[in-house]
Amino acid sequence: MNPESEAEYREFVVSRYAQLGRFAYVLCRDWHQAEDVVQKALTKLYLHWPKAVIRSPDAYVRRIIANGLSDDRRTGWFRRERPSRELPDRPRPDPAEGSAERMTVLHALSRLPAGQRLAVVLRHWEDMSVEQAAEIMGCSTGNVKSQTARGLQTLRGLLVEESNPMQANGANR
């Protein structure tokens, strides 16, 4: 890679690393797995960086992250990386610890099916257009719209259920 391309790549990574980590965390709910998948995605992006086929590096790396998380779920337990006993240099704070509402929403998001969760996160958490989300998800814009609508409907039901479990179970007092 020439020095100019390497500088562009480095600038991209520095400016987007934290945002990509949060994106991966919302999808998988595990900081360690999110950090691993972002690092793997950025390595793959580096290999393809100088090529002209990448129209949107943001969409490209998000798609790599989404696919990487899907692959991790399918990988057998014997092929996964093993955690080490060494502690990281400095622990990352969990952004979900800030409020009970945020924890409730993140828990409800984790209960959505993977496709609906990805669509909702891309559209509403990452504030992407339908077309951008479709590019990352590798599907049609209509599929993004229906997955988002179903995801939001399911999410509303889950949030009502979590905020008032007695009412959700049909108990009236």
Side-chain angles (χ1 to χ4, degrees):
M1 184 181 310
N2 65 38
E4 184 178 305
S5 291
E6 184 133 0
E8 288 175 1
Y9 173 79
R10 189 175 296 119
E11 182 180 322
F12 175 82
V13 170
V14 167
S15 66
R16 308 281 194 319
Y17 188 80
Q19 183 181 18
L20 293 172
R22 288 188 300 269
F23 170 70
Y25 173 77
V26 170
L27 293 178
C28 70
R29 295 284 310 227
D30 179 353
W31 275 114
H32 301 290
Q33 184 182 13
E35 193 170 270
D36 288 346
V37 78
V38 168
Q39 288 175 3
K40 289 176 187 175
L42 291 173
T43 301
K44 288 180 182 180
L45 178 66
Y46 180 82
L47 296 174
H48 298 284
W49 186 262
K51 295 181 183 172
V53 295
I54 301 176
R55 291 188 310 250
S56 170
D58 284 316
Y60 188 76
V61 76
R62 280 187 172 80
R63 185 165 186 182
I64 294 171
I65 289 170
N67 289 344
L69 287 169
S70 249
D71 291 345
D72 282 352
R73 286 188 199 101
R74 289 187 296 239
T75 303
W77 66 268
F78 56 91
R79 295 184 60 203
R80 292 189 183 140
E81 293 179 13
R82 305 287 192 274
S84 70
R85 293 181 182 258
E86 296 177 25
L87 294 175
D89 291 340
R90 58 175 203 244
R92 292 185 149 232
D94 186 354
E97 291 177 355
S99 71
E101 289 174 0
R102 186 177 180 118
M103 288 294 288
T104 302
V105 170
L106 286 173
H107 177 68
L109 266 173
S110 72
R111 293 175 58 194
L112 290 178
Q116 291 178 10
R117 182 173 54 243
L118 180 58
V120 169
V121 168
L122 288 173
R123 293 281 293 126
H124 297 284
W125 192 283
E126 295 290 320
D127 197 28
M128 291 187 174
S129 69
V130 173
E131 292 77 18
Q132 291 170 322
E135 184 177 341
I136 291 170
M137 292 174 69
C139 63
S140 69
T141 57
N143 190 8
V144 172
K145 291 176 186 178
S146 65
Q147 289 285 343
T148 304
R150 287 186 194 124
L152 289 174
Q153 183 178 10
T154 305
L155 192 60
R156 284 184 195 106
L158 291 170
L159 290 172
V160 166
E161 179 183 308
E162 288 185 18
S163 67
N164 193 354
M166 294 295 285
Q167 185 178 4
N169 292 330
N172 292 326
R173 285 193 172 197

